[in-house]
Amino acid sequence: MANLACADDKVQLLRDRKPEQRTQMLILGVPHFAHRGADVINTEVPDVLEPQRQRQVEALVLALAKFRPTRIALEWSIAKQDELDERYRQYRAGTYQLQRDEIDQLGLRLAAMLNLPAVTAINWNDMPPGVIADFDYAQWAQQHGAAAQLAEIRKPDASLRDTDYMRGTTVTQWLQRLNTPERLALSNRRYFDFAMLGDAANSPGANWVANWYGRNLKIFANLVRLANSPDERVLVIYGHGHAFSLRQFATQSGAFAVEDAEVYLSAIKDQH
């Protein structure tokens, strides 16, 4: 398992980190290629294992390699790093066939291409403090006449129609669309509507959103522990919903120098 401890014992606050001390980072927000079905908004992603899509994935990975990452951080539970290590070991040995998800298609594929010794799990998604009722905005909505409000919040933005868009475009075009500052901000705004599910006595929506930000802060802290040197270059491949917060934390903290994903995505000559 990769060591997430800081390389040096000297305490340095992030607020005091100078620009020349910051780790280079590229955050790539992605739709979950394998349809996990566990997100607030779930998109039906075309099968990336089809030959045409595989050519597109290969073009994308070649472009991401130009970032020259020394570390690749993935949305995989830290508690299961050993399983990720074994999967990567088997893939490099030729005994594991890449599955549909972005962990494999982008993370493992790129790491092996660059001959990196490992890929790193940084995800945290355990139960938050308190009891489930404190966070169960769905039950609160049903019991307090707000079911229609919740349904409207959960409804995908009709102007975006990601599922339809993805059918007729390339993998790179999906990511270009999802990683623009405007789209990242639009996706993040939805959480403020979730925070309104509650009243003066109980705020399950706000509690749930607070945990969402707390989860992203824990992921961010794992990134800081992973790479604490200006010589490191970290590629973060994560579910699109996390990208806005992770970019915000990485930039505002002064911990990282965050590069723009569009620089690499726009250079790709896709295989249509």
Side-chain angles (χ1 to χ4, degrees), residues 23 42 85 90 107 113 119 147 166 171 192 211 235 241 246 263:
T23 301
N42 294 288
D85 289 341
Q90 291 181 8
M113 177 189 298
V119 290
M166 288 180 177
V171 176
F192 294 97
N211 181 63
L235 172 63
L246 292 180
V263 171

Side-chain angles (χ1 to χ4, degrees), residues 2 29 45-46 65 75 79 85 88 95 110 119 123 125 144 156-157 166 178 181 189 205 225-226 232 249 259 262:
V45 180
E75 190 174 348
D85 289 341
Y88 184 49
T95 59
L110 177 56
V119 290
N123 196 35
N125 196 20
H144 293 80
D157 191 316
M166 288 180 177
L178 290 174
R189 282 202 292 273
R225 297 185 191 105
L226 169 64
E232 296 276 18
F249 299 157
E259 294 197 27
E262 175 61 18

Side-chain angles (χ1 to χ4, degrees), residues 35-57:
H35 296 314
R36 298 180 188 178
D39 296 321
V40 171
I41 301 296
N42 294 288
T43 302
E44 294 181 16
V45 180
D47 187 358
V48 297
L49 295 180
E50 294 179 350
Q52 181 183 24
R53 296 296 184 189
Q54 282 292 286
R55 291 192 293 272
Q56 295 169 8
V57 169

